[in-house]
Amino acid sequence: IINHLFTCPEYPPSSSNSQVKLPHFIAYALHQTKLHSSVTFAALIPLQQLKVCFPTAQGSSGHHLFVSAFMLASKVICDDTYSNKSWSIQSIIAQGMFQLQEINQI
């Protein structure tokens, strides 16, 4: 869905020092977090709304779009959720792709 809506590249930007394809990145994050499927579906809503508001929007990184939406949905839906540090490079969730400062900005 992310690739379809935003025509994102399959690989993250070279600055992330990772070569994990987007589908594998998403599957791994879903597996590691073990969050309810409602969080995953809730993450798709702001992405779809973003595309509705900005139809010509394209993404330079589907990985960033996914983490942003998934993290936000998790924090809204779950009572006890992961910290920003858990989503960052120090964690296995984001597979070493994001610095804590970047996650905080998201």
Side-chain angles (χ1 to χ4, degrees):
I1 291 175
I2 293 172
N3 282 340
H4 175 73
L5 288 176
F6 299 100
T7 58
C8 298
E10 194 169 7
Y11 291 96
S14 58
S15 62
S16 72
N17 297 321
S18 176
Q19 289 300 309
V20 179
K21 290 182 177 182
L22 183 58
H24 297 266
F25 177 80
I26 292 171
Y28 189 78
L30 295 176
H31 172 75
Q32 286 300 117
T33 59
K34 295 178 179 38
L35 293 172
H36 192 271
S37 59
S38 63
V39 176
T40 306
F41 290 113
L44 297 176
I45 294 169
L47 293 174
Q48 192 270 336
Q49 289 299 314
L50 177 64
K51 192 62 175 184
V52 167
C53 292
F54 302 98
T56 59
Q58 292 187 337
S60 60
S61 171
H63 299 71
H64 280 85
L65 287 169
F66 171 75
V67 164
S68 300
F70 194 53
M71 187 173 67
L72 178 64
S74 167
K75 289 180 181 284
V76 169
I77 292 175
C78 301
D79 289 333
D80 186 24
T81 186
Y82 294 96
S83 67
N84 286 1
K85 187 176 180 180
S86 297
W87 292 97
S88 72
I89 198 167
Q90 301 164 357
S91 164
I92 55 177
I93 296 172
Q95 302 173 53
M97 244 182 255
F98 306 103
Q99 298 289 333
L100 178 58
Q101 179 183 357
E102 195 173 10
I103 292 294
N104 289 338
Q105 288 174 343
I106 290 172

